[in-house]
Each structure stands twice: as structure tokens, then as C-alpha cells.
Amino acid sequence: MKTFITLMTILTLMCTQLLQADEDYSKGPGVAPVNNPLYATECSACHFAYQPGLMPARSWKKIMLNLDKHFDENAELEIDEQNALTNYLVKNAADFSNHKRSVKIMRSLSREHTPIRITEIPYLVRKHNEMSSDMVNGNPKVNSLSYCEKCHRRAETGSYSEREINIPGYGLWEDDHS
Ligand code: HEC
Ligand code: HEC
């Protein structure tokens, strides 16, 4: 009996360790996936629908108040749609999320900083600084860091794990940087 209990303890410990090694999968995706159909349609015409958990509420408010001058584009909406989407973004913003990436995003931002680009957030700037400009802005298959889903193959599910990155024209990131 004693050996049996010891054996079970060892097995349990081994399983816990395996689960912890695969952090992203055991705790769910890095950010909560989009679950609002109106948002998924209206905000995915020019880029993929960024998850609300990628920016603080104050940033989403600023973006939603300036949709007529949205990064050189006009992304204006009917006022009731604008209000509904602002509401959705604010409620699910990084400030109110326990998902791993949202927490790291909030930790890296000072209170005075209200970025209107996800790609300006210190945590994400740091994560992306190993790439050369040829891979991003100079890469006709990517164009800019704003097109997350070009490289993060499972971005739409809210997962940005290192193991799921494929830079168009360059291949899997993991192959060279493990
Ligand atoms: C008419 C096209 C268009 C629509 C519709 C649109 N956007 Fe954009 N958006 C852009 C462009 C262009 C950029 C800048 C991309 C770049 O710099 O390469 C951008 C950038 C962004 C960024 C910053 C990305 C970064 O670089 O970190 C956010 C956040 C964003 N949009 C949110 C939204 C939201 C929310 C909606 C829906 C209300 C929306 N967009 C609808 C064209 C659009
Ligand atoms: C040109 C390709 C490319 C684009 C576009 C891109 N990324 Fe990345 N991303 C990478 C690479 C490469 C890494 C570095 C992985 C590593 O070694 O840690 C990374 C890392 C990350 C990480 C940290 C992953 C980890 O395991 O530590 C997050 C989160 C992330 N990116 C989110 C985004 C978001 C959000 C966008 C869009 C606004 C975006 N990325 C656009 C290539 C890209």
C-alpha cells in the first residue's frame, strides 16, 4: 500500500509539471477571444478584430471617439453601433482581464500613457524587437506590425504563443529561436 501511494504521488507530480510546462494551454489563451458578432464584423474590414484585452479601457475610448480620423482612414459608425462597441471594448479591456497577456500589457504601461496603438505598448515593443525591419515593414506579405494574424497563426483564438509564429517568407520562428 505504501509503495502504491508513493507511486501515485510521483505520477501526480509528473502530470502537474507537464501541465505547467505548457502554460498557454493549461490557462487558456493569452487574451480572451472576441465574442461579440457586431465587433467581429465591423472592426475586421481592414485588419483582424483585435481582442479587447490587448489595450486598456482608456485607449479603446480614445480610439472609438475618433473613428472618423482612424489612422488616415474613415471608420465612422452609426452612433448606436459606436456606443455598443465602445461598451463591449471597455468592459473586456485589459484592465479587467486576468488573461496572461492582458496582465503583462497592463503591468508594462504607466498610468499616464494612453496608447492608441497596441504595437506601442512597451511589453509588445519588447517582444518584437528581435525581428529585423525586413521581416515586418519591409516585408510585402506583412506591411506592418499591426497585422498580427500574418505571423501569429492562431491570433484569432487569442493565442500568441511563440510556438505558433510563422513569418511570411521566413518560416517558423521556433526553428531558429528555440
Ligand atoms: C476602413 C478601414 C478600417 C476600419 C473599418 C477599422 N480600422 Fe482600425 N486601423 C485601420 C488602419 C489603416 C490602421 C493602421 C494600420 C497600420 O498602421 O499599418 C488601423 C489600426 C488600428 C489599431 C492600432 C493597431 C496597432 O498598430 O497597434 C487599432 C487598435 C484599431 N485599428 C482598432 C479598430 C477598431 C476598434 C475598429 C472598429 C470600430 C477598427 N479599427 C476599424 C483601418 C481600419
Ligand atoms: C512580422 C511578424 C509579427 C507580427 C505582424 C506580429 N508579431 Fe507578435 N511576435 C512575433 C515574433 C517573432 C515574436 C517573438 C517570439 C519570441 O521569441 O518571444 C512575437 C511575440 C509576441 C508576443 C509574445 C509571445 C511570447 O510567447 O512571449 C505577443 C503577445 C505578441 N507577439 C502579440 C502580437 C500582436 C497583438 C500583434 C499585432 C498587433 C503582433 N504580435 C504582430 C511576430 C509578429
Side-chain angles (χ1 to χ4, degrees), residues 24 30-31 48 50-51 54 100-101 104-105 118-119 123-124 126-132 135-137 139 142 144-152 155 159-163 165-168 173 177:
D24 278 332
V31 293
F48 100 117
Y50 303 114
Q51 288 88 9
L54 290 170
K100 177 176 150 188
R101 306 289 181 202
K104 292 192 173 181
I105 282 168
I118 297 157
T119 50
Y123 166 64
L124 292 173
R126 199 170 359 101
K127 284 289 178 182
H128 290 119
N129 69 7
E130 266 185 57
M131 280 185 292
S132 66
M135 293 177 174
V136 194
N137 300 53
N139 187 342
V142 178
S144 96
L145 202 54
S146 310
Y147 302 97
C148 322
E149 79 289 2
K150 300 266 162 134
C151 302
H152 293 278
S159 175
Y160 292 89
S161 159
E162 276 180 69
R163 283 157 294 171
I165 302 172
N166 183 27
I167 304 178
W173 181 254
H177 306 80

Side-chain angles (χ1 to χ4, degrees), residues 20 67 84 124 153 155:
Q20 277 168 352
L67 285 177
L124 292 173
R153 293 178 296 169

